[in-house]
Amino acid sequence: MGVLLVLIVLAVLLLVGSVGMIAVGRRRARRAPYLEPPVTRPPEAPRPVVVAPEAPVAVEPEPVVVAPEPQPEPVVVAPKPRFRDRLGKARSQFAGYVGNVLSRTSIDDATWDDLEEALILADVGIGTTTAILDDLRARVKSEGITTPQELIAALKADLTAALGDADRSLHLDAGVTNVWLFVGVNGVGKTTTIGKLGRRFNEAGTPVVMAAADTFRAAAAEQLELWSKRVGADLVRGNEGGDPGAVVFDAVQRAAAKNVTLVLADTAGRLHTKVNLMEELKKVRRVAEREPGKVTEVLLVIDATTGQNGLVQAKQFGEAVGVSGVVLTKLDGTAKGGIVLAIEKELGVPIKLVGLGETADDLVDFDPHEFVDALFDA
Ligand code: GDP
């Protein structure tokens, strides 16, 4: 019994001891938690950027960028070019001979030679030169002219008189759609002149419609289109090789619809044959006359630098379409200023406008007095 008692006491003691140990262990465990040893990782390589495919988005139409309409150049009122400033070559040559004559004390054979040479070199033409000098000789006798100064004054007056008092106005009729046809061979300056005139009318507040009736060359229509944009004019153009009459007809209709009173029509300067060209011009003219259109000017454009050669062409155009006036271009770049006299004497057509340069402002009305003064002015 005593042994049993001892065994029980021992068992109890053992039980109590182990419970105590567990409790102490738990307490320890709470106080010092287990720490993982730090892991040293190699630096991560940069991850490749994976661009996830975008979710399909409803595609918006690209905005249509409308290029702004080209605006006409601002109108800067430039001083009009003057003959005196622009006739450089013609003036220096002619005035040189005049200086020779004036440097002598009397009128002798050398005087007449100088005057003849001056007029011929200025491209006045043999016939007109002879007529002018014959008249001058007669005046020397009848008026008792003895000094070179009087002689030069008389020549100046003769030249001005030879250019006469022709009607140089540009006609615009009321109540119709005026059509001005520009004719002449390629390269003389038709398109440029139309551009310059467009600018002039625009400045004056009178819009014009331009008709690109030279359908033979695409470049001609493009050039006129550039001018129309620069000066703010309406343009009617057709297809390359199309009917030029149709272009003029459409331009008249457009002008009439917009209450514009003037159509400036460019025409071809070259076709396969001269006969074709003249026939085509006649047809364009007929179409332009259809109501409400009326051809009030046919302006023959002549390049002054071609001198006397220009006269031959001029006669052909004159015969085909009837020319009402001449536009003499490029007078700024030639010593052949005397062509002015030859044109008026031989063609019997007044020079109405003169081109004195390539810019929009370089077109002036022809003024015989100013022109002759400029020629004599050293
Ligand atoms: P088109 O073929 O008859 O229409 O001739 P363009 O109008 O194309 O002119 C031919 C060239 O002559 C161009 O380079 C123009 O700039 C030039 N031109 C036109 N008029 C004048 C002018 O009065 N003076 C000068 N110096 N050049 C001009």
Side-chain angles (χ1 to χ4, degrees), residues 121-144:
L121 285 180
D123 231 1
V124 169
I126 309 260
T128 310
T129 299
T130 308
I132 288 171
L133 293 183
D134 284 353
D135 181 66
L136 200 56
R137 280 196 178 91
R139 281 184 70 181
V140 165
K141 275 197 189 133
S142 66
E143 294 173 23

Side-chain angles (χ1 to χ4, degrees), residues 186-192 196 217 223 330 332 355-358:
N186 272 354
V188 288
K190 294 183 295 295
T191 313
T192 310
K196 291 170 174 177
R217 283 188 317 136
Q223 201 192 337
K330 312 187 197 181
D332 52 308
L356 292 176
E358 292 188 84

Side-chain angles (χ1 to χ4, degrees), residues 88-124 129 133 136 148-149 151-153 155 159 335-338 374-378:
K89 283 189 186 169
R91 205 182 77 219
S92 60
Q93 181 177 283
F94 196 82
Y97 283 99
V98 170
N100 283 351
V101 171
L102 291 175
S103 66
R104 298 199 189 89
T105 49
S106 62
I107 300 169
D108 53 21
D109 285 350
T111 303
W112 293 106
D113 288 348
D114 270 337
L115 291 183
E116 189 174 20
E117 217 168 296
L119 293 170
I120 297 283
L121 285 180
D123 231 1
V124 169
T129 299
L133 293 183
L136 200 56
Q149 284 72 19
L151 182 68
I152 292 299
L155 174 63
L159 294 185
K336 296 172 179 171
L375 270 189
F376 280 76
D377 209 343

